[in-house]
Amino acid sequence: MPNPSLDPLDLFALRESLTEEERMVQDSVRRLVNERVLPIIRECFEEHRFPRELVPELAALGLLGSSLEGYGCAGLNALCYGLICQELERGDSGIRSFVSVQSSLCMFPIHAYGSDAQKLQYLPGMARGELIGCFGLTEPHGGSDPANMKTYARQRGRDWVLNGSKMWITNGSIADLALVWAQTDDGIRGFLLEKGMRGFTAQLIERKFSLRASITSALFFDDVLVPEQNVLPGVIGLKGPLSCLTQARYGIAWGVIGAAQACLEQLLEYSASRSLFGRSLAHNQAVQVRLAEMARQITCAQMLALQLARLKERGTLDPVQVSLAKWNNCRAALDIARDCRDLLGGAGISAEYAPIRHMLNLESVITYEGTETIHQLSVGRALTGHNAF
Ligand code: TGC
Ligand code: FAD
């Protein structure tokens, strides 16, 4: 019998340190994932379909822009946002991606840098899930170096004319609103493009092997006329998009723990019931060492995420700390998913089991929002003072 006083997915009892409100948030998202995501996600992945029908339910639980104050947003703390991401990604990284982009990459910058009119126009509808947002930073020639973006906006009278393209944009083809970052004569600025603006098109990227239950698109801008009132007035420079990435990477550091937990949970059941050489798979030393290693990795990821939440609440979070956590936790989750896939044997490549789906998703998650190398180099730069990018 396993030790009944320990939760194998929470060996250091993180949950016991949560407040009642934090537990309630975690439980309600967990219920939504169990009842509404898990029953359909395998098919969505196979069919390459984002389950858009879940958006009103995500909104009804207050999960869109959950940490923002006002405008119909829930105003939850940083830890709650982390727990939301963790529970959603236990279902699928694609669902967490949707919420990350809507909340951290589109609503957050409007809240932080938008005019009063922009906040009133967009945020309540986005919190209700009636308006979907996307975030266009990456370009086809190289996403790791956004300072070198080619998309350009020139001022014409009081308006702007935007030309260029963006690549790999989550929610792109279903978005009502695209926050597009473009170079201008004064530096990088954020432009709020609405669906249907002349010269603005989105093209779905089909045939992905990863994040198949998520929409990914390319965006094209051909002399798009953007009125002055659609430019974010509160920020100029790369720090605008990078500050949004800090919010979203924080959520990813939490989210991937959920994916890893889902894989380990399934493997624990499987290894207990599968019998080989006259004993259960779980009875073998080599298997136990691998299970213990997974639990160690999950526990370390949880402790990093928890301290990250405390630093965020305190307002002292440094982007380098977020880089280290995003790197560590994505690497841990991907290694766990791959190892679970292996320990399931042939069954590990079947759609009946979750690890291969999580593993394939995590190949994107370790790449987007800054690749593993980019985060390693950010930490290296902080340690040495030398910019090695
Ligand atoms: P660097 O010199 O480091 O910084 C330029 C300016 O930005 C400031 N800054 C920040 N400000 C606020 N918050 C942050 N987190 C900040 N990080 C940096 C910095 O102080 C500086 O300000 P100033 O006033 O001195 O100009 O810039 P760099 O050109 O050296 O680049 C650094 C590097 C490589 C780390 C950065 O370019 C980078 O992070 N590259 C990776 C790009 C990336 O992550 N793209 C993600 C695209 S979005 C996405 O993937 C969404 S997936 C969503 C989903 O589906 O879940
Ligand atoms: P590149 O920047 O071309 O990098 C290629 C390789 O070179 C990587 O391994 C990288 O680590 C390595 N490398 C780069 N620089 C160095 C260096 N100096 N030293 C050593 N190695 C280096 N972007 C958005 O703007 N919005 C979105 O919503 C969004 N959603 C995404 C969804 C998915 C499913 C995916 C896959 C990507 C998404 N992205 C999005 C883009 C993502 O952020 C980029 O893919 C990522 O930043 C890497 O950029 P790139 O693909 O152009 O690779």
Side-chain angles (χ1 to χ4, degrees):
M1 277 283 287
N3 183 339
S5 61
L6 288 177
D7 176 350
L9 304 180
D10 183 15
L11 280 184
F12 272 41
L14 187 155
R15 184 164 156 98
E16 280 173 25
S17 65
L18 302 181
T19 62
E20 203 172 310
E21 188 194 24
E22 288 158 357
R23 279 187 215 193
M24 269 171 50
V25 169
Q26 182 174 28
D27 289 343
S28 60
V29 185
R30 175 167 278 261
R31 238 184 339 269
L32 178 81
V33 169
N34 287 345
E35 291 171 7
R36 303 287 293 126
V37 177
L38 292 180
I40 60 165
I41 197 64
R42 195 188 88 191
E43 264 173 37
C44 289
F45 191 89
E46 284 176 40
E47 292 164 6
H48 216 317
R49 179 179 84 80
F50 169 65
R52 194 173 175 168
E53 66 274 20
L54 297 181
V55 173
E57 300 184 48
L58 297 167
L61 272 189
L63 308 188
L64 305 181
S66 61
S67 40
L68 302 179
E69 297 284 349
Y71 305 97
C73 301
L76 298 173
N77 68 16
L79 189 46
C80 284
Y81 179 49
L83 293 165
I84 290 168
C85 290
Q86 178 187 295
E87 291 307 320
L88 292 175
E89 199 146 358
R90 191 174 58 81
D92 192 86
S93 303
I95 311 295
R96 197 270 308 135
S97 266
F98 173 82
V99 170
S100 287
V101 170
Q102 179 85 350
S103 304
S104 290
L105 295 183
C106 209
M107 294 176 76
F108 166 80
I110 294 173
H111 197 271
Y113 307 124
S115 64
D116 289 343
Q118 289 166 350
K119 292 178 202 179
L120 283 169
Q121 188 178 351
Y122 299 118
L123 292 176
M126 294 185 84
R128 289 193 300 269
E130 292 161 8
L131 287 177
I132 292 178
C134 71
F135 175 92
L137 180 64
T138 303
E139 299 191 352
H141 60 272
S144 297
D145 184 16
N148 184 35
M149 69 174 64
K150 310 291 181 216
T151 297
Y152 209 93
R154 272 179 217 291
Q155 208 150 12
R156 186 194 287 169
R158 286 182 48 79
D159 298 332
W160 295 79
V161 180
L162 192 75
N163 278 288
S165 63
K166 298 287 173 180
M167 187 64 185
W168 303 115
I169 306 305
T170 301
N171 299 348
S173 321
I174 56 166
D176 303 287
L177 184 66
L179 170 52
V180 175
W181 297 95
Q183 195 58 260
T184 72
D185 289 346
D186 308 328
I188 292 169
R189 285 170 179 254
F191 295 82
L192 294 165
L193 270 59
E194 292 177 10
K195 190 178 194 162
M197 276 183 168
R198 206 163 150 164
F200 171 35
T201 47
Q203 192 175 62
L204 187 67
I205 298 176
E206 294 179 271
R207 308 179 69 190
K208 291 175 295 172
F209 284 119
S210 175
L211 280 185
R212 289 172 61 84
S214 169
I215 301 275
T216 317
S217 315
L219 307 181
F220 301 97
F221 321 109
D222 182 9
D223 281 338
V224 183
L225 193 67
V226 186
E228 174 69 22
Q229 69 260 26
N230 284 41
V231 183
L232 288 183
V235 71
I236 299 181
L238 195 57
K239 61 181 180 286
L242 290 185
S243 65
C244 307
L245 294 180
T246 297
Q247 310 301 315
R249 290 165 177 171
Y250 165 82
I252 290 174
W254 274 95
V256 293
I257 297 169
Q261 287 173 321
C263 294
L264 177 56
E265 187 173 28
Q266 206 162 47
L267 179 62
L268 284 170
E269 282 171 25
Y270 187 86
S271 62
S273 62
R274 188 148 181 98
S275 182
L276 294 160
F277 301 102
R279 57 180 187 263
S280 73
L281 203 53
H283 209 111
N284 292 288
Q285 286 187 352
V287 174
Q288 288 195 14
V289 168
R290 288 162 78 178
L291 293 170
E293 169 65 14
M294 291 179 205
R296 181 181 73 79
Q297 297 267 24
I298 288 174
T299 306
C300 292
Q302 285 170 317
M303 295 302 110
L304 268 186
L306 185 61
Q307 179 62 6
L308 214 55
R310 291 194 185 120
L311 292 168
K312 195 167 194 302
E313 279 298 309
R314 227 184 276 158
T316 60
L317 189 66
D318 189 289
V320 172
Q321 293 163 332
V322 181
S323 277
L324 192 143
K326 196 266 180 186
W327 155 29
N328 181 79
N329 292 10
C330 287
R331 168 52 58 193
L334 181 56
D335 287 350
I336 288 169
R338 284 176 180 163
D339 210 28
C340 287
R341 207 290 313 142
D342 179 66
L343 276 163
L344 289 166
I349 66 132
S350 161
E352 295 292 327
Y353 293 88
I356 193 158
R357 176 170 51 80
H358 285 298
M359 180 190 105
L360 291 169
N361 284 338
L362 288 163
E363 293 288 349
S364 283
V365 181
I366 203 167
T367 293
Y368 67 33
E369 301 263 8
T371 65
E372 184 171 61
T373 308
I374 288 300
H375 292 297
Q376 289 167 331
L377 294 180
S378 291
V379 175
R381 181 168 69 177
L383 296 178
T384 64
H386 299 302
N387 186 348
F389 289 108

